[in-house]
Amino acid sequence: MTALDNPNSDLFDPNASPQEDAGPEPVVYMVDDQQAELDLLQRWCSQEGLKTETFNQAEDLLKLLHADSHGCVVADLRMPRLSGLELQAEMSRRELTIPVILVTGHGDAENCRAAFQQGVFDFIEKGFRHEEILHAINSAIRKHRRDRFRYQVRKEALDLLRKISPRETEVMLLLAGGSPLKGIAQELSISVQTASKHRGSIFTKLGIDNEVDLYKMLLAAEVNLDAGPAALVPPAS
């Protein structure tokens, strides 16, 4: 069963916590050059039932992380060799989307601003209560689960939509825009019968029954209807 097959999933609710993600168990990846800090945070996470992996330097974490890593990263801002901000920047360069929470004992407005501008999920000063850091960790994991699910839905929808021929794509986008078959025929200089045949072929290829389902699929694929057929062209590798 794919994500698109679940009729009860709400793909666009930012507060939803979809259960459709059957991916790996989330992991809290913790990086700090101070072992005592790691031990304390690991104990809190374990009490919460969270799986953890700890590292004393960011370089070791980077060797492990990959595109399918699921969970979140909690990293100290100031570490020898590679700082928390530099770790997050390198993760972004590698297109690793797992959220990053930075913790620091030297918080200041400049570091905080730089962190959020760079895409860090949260920025917390040391001395935090365990409830505060665990709330941030759980929020980051939920966000990553939603992002992974949305990515999977979009990929599945685009894979289906790219089975549509160029002419069918023109018909499909007009249908999604609310044009009746007669209007589509006039727009594309084809007969109403031909427009109807294209409509039937589109619905068969996509496994849908009506224009409402078609619009939902285009929405799931994040297709810009104003971009025309070019919206369905795969990006260059």
Side-chain angles (χ1 to χ4, degrees):
M1 178 176 178
T2 66
L4 285 173
D5 293 325
N6 188 338
N8 299 316
S9 64
D10 188 343
L11 309 182
F12 311 105
D13 180 1
N15 297 312
S17 298
Q19 301 300 311
E20 295 87 344
D21 184 0
E25 179 184 3
V27 178
V28 183
Y29 300 95
M30 299 179 290
V31 194
D32 198 315
D33 58 316
Q34 300 296 318
Q35 188 61 44
E37 301 282 355
L38 283 178
D39 292 343
L40 177 61
L41 187 53
Q42 185 178 37
R43 183 165 66 252
W44 286 347
C45 288
S46 296
Q47 291 171 350
E48 187 79 0
L50 294 167
K51 182 178 179 180
T52 62
E53 293 196 31
T54 62
F55 306 85
N56 293 118
Q57 55 185 18
E59 292 86 348
D60 292 336
L61 172 60
L62 286 170
K63 294 175 184 177
L64 179 74
L65 288 180
H66 51 81
D68 291 330
S69 297
H70 178 32
C72 74
V73 170
V74 181
D76 190 24
L77 176 66
R78 297 190 179 184
M79 294 182 289
R81 299 176 62 179
L82 203 66
S83 71
L85 273 176
E86 290 168 336
L87 167 64
Q88 197 277 337
E90 178 62 19
M91 289 172 58
S92 295
R93 189 188 70 80
R94 300 185 187 187
E95 298 184 351
L96 299 173
T97 60
I98 185 169
V100 175
I101 298 169
L102 290 183
V103 296
T104 179
H106 311 277
D108 58 54
E110 183 177 350
N111 279 329
C112 183
R113 183 168 55 251
F116 285 119
Q117 287 177 343
Q118 195 167 289
V120 167
F121 178 79
D122 208 344
F123 186 90
I124 301 176
E125 290 191 46
K126 288 184 177 179
F128 47 74
R129 294 175 294 111
H130 72 278
E131 295 93 348
E132 181 182 3
I133 188 67
L134 289 175
H135 174 76
I137 288 171
N138 282 312
S139 296
I141 291 173
R142 286 195 298 271
K143 178 184 185 300
H144 197 218
R145 181 182 295 117
R146 290 194 300 268
D147 290 346
R148 283 162 53 87
F149 179 61
R150 182 174 180 176
Y151 171 82
Q152 184 61 31
V153 167
R154 182 173 186 270
K155 180 180 182 301
E156 291 173 9
L158 281 172
D159 287 345
L160 283 173
L161 290 168
R162 285 169 182 156
K163 295 179 180 179
I164 305 301
S165 72
R167 174 58 94 182
E168 288 170 346
T169 297
E170 293 177 324
V171 172
M172 177 182 68
L173 294 175
L174 289 169
L175 281 171
S179 297
L181 288 176
K182 185 176 180 179
I184 292 172
Q186 292 175 343
E187 176 75 19
L188 300 179
S189 300
I190 57 178
S191 69
V192 174
Q193 291 81 1
T194 299
S196 179
K197 184 182 296 186
H198 284 316
R199 178 181 180 273
S201 176
I202 291 165
F203 287 0
T204 298
K205 289 180 178 180
L206 299 181
I208 58 178
D209 298 318
N210 52 58
E211 283 82 355
V212 173
D213 289 340
L214 172 61
Y215 186 79
K216 288 180 178 178
M217 181 167 289
L218 291 169
L219 198 61
E222 301 180 19
V223 171
N224 177 5
L225 297 180
D226 296 330
L232 299 179
V233 176
S237 57

